[in-house]
């Protein structure tokens, strides 16, 4: 806590308060029967701060390395990633509770999946999103 002295009075400037957030890992799953997936993005929902955002991998190199060139069409995967980020942003007004977000996640189909929501403490949503991305999505060698 910072203390500011002004005119013989002590005023307290509160630290940025943490709140509870929810995150989900966005995954590409080219063969739902095998249930093998790779993390391509992360989603963070922090209703107390009015924050909803995603961060996606800028490339598909890891997907190609793990699943092979024949499994993905580059434009198709980019389209899927862009579409899910757009839908999450467009529907943010509907996400009033964790249940609304869980309902959205449960109705996804095709090659993109999102994990069940998990809790995380959030002080700075952008910083938390970056940390989640580095830990869960970025290539292991690129982690800080």
């Amino acid at each position: 806590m910072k203390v500011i002295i002004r005119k013989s009075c002590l005023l307290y400037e509160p630290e940025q308060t943490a709140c509870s957030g929810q995150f989900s890992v966005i995954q590409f799953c080219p063969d739902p029967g095998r249930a093998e997936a790779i993390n391509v993005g992360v989603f963070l929902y922090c209703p107390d701060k009015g924050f909803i955002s995603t961060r996606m991998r800028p490339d598909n190199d890891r997907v190609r390395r793990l699943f092979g060139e024949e499994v993905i069409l580059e434009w198709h995967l980019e389209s899927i990633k862009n579409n899910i980020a757009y839908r999450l942003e467009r529907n943010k007004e509907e996400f009033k509770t964790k249940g609304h977000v869980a309902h959205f996640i449960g109705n996804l189909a095709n090659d993109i999946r999102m994990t069940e929501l998990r809790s995380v403490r959030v002080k700075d949503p952008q910083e938390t999103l970056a940390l989640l991305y580095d830990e869960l999505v970025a290539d292991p060698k690129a982690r800080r």
Side-chain angles (χ1 to χ4, degrees):
M1 185 174 307
K2 296 179 185 175
V3 177
I4 303 169
I5 300 174
R6 290 188 189 148
K7 297 183 183 179
S8 304
C9 295
L10 291 178
L11 301 175
Y12 294 95
E13 184 178 292
E15 293 178 5
Q16 188 176 16
T17 57
C19 66
S20 179
Q22 306 290 321
F23 75 94
S24 174
V25 179
I26 302 166
Q27 300 176 320
F28 174 67
C29 181
D31 185 354
R34 293 183 61 102
E36 294 175 334
I38 187 165
N39 299 348
V40 295
V42 67
F43 164 75
L44 179 61
Y45 169 63
C46 189
D48 292 344
K49 295 191 180 278
F51 184 86
I52 293 177
S53 190
T54 60
R55 182 164 175 198
M56 298 289 188
R57 285 185 63 90
D59 59 53
N60 298 313
D61 296 340
R62 193 157 184 244
V63 173
R64 267 195 296 290
R65 283 194 314 268
L66 293 174
F67 292 121
E69 288 285 337
E70 64 281 354
V71 170
I72 68 162
L73 296 172
E74 190 77 23
W75 64 268
H76 177 67
L77 182 51
E78 283 304 309
S79 174
I80 290 171
K81 290 184 337 189
N82 290 335
N83 184 30
I84 193 69
Y86 171 77
R87 286 178 60 199
L88 287 164
E89 176 66 25
R90 184 189 71 200
N91 292 334
K92 70 181 176 183
E93 296 301 319
E94 298 173 20
F95 298 150
K96 297 187 184 345
T97 68
K98 177 182 171 181
H100 291 115
V101 178
H103 178 74
F104 176 89
I105 290 171
N107 285 321
L108 289 176
N110 299 327
D111 297 339
I112 285 289
R113 295 184 175 183
M114 292 176 68
T115 63
E116 289 185 25
L117 290 171
R118 295 180 237 170
S119 296
V120 63
R121 294 295 290 161
V122 178
K123 281 190 178 180
D124 177 348
Q126 289 292 352
E127 182 180 314
T128 301
L129 184 63
L131 290 170
L132 288 168
Y133 177 86
D134 287 348
E135 182 66 28
L136 302 171
V137 180
D139 286 336
K141 65 183 177 199
R143 291 182 186 157
R144 293 182 215 164

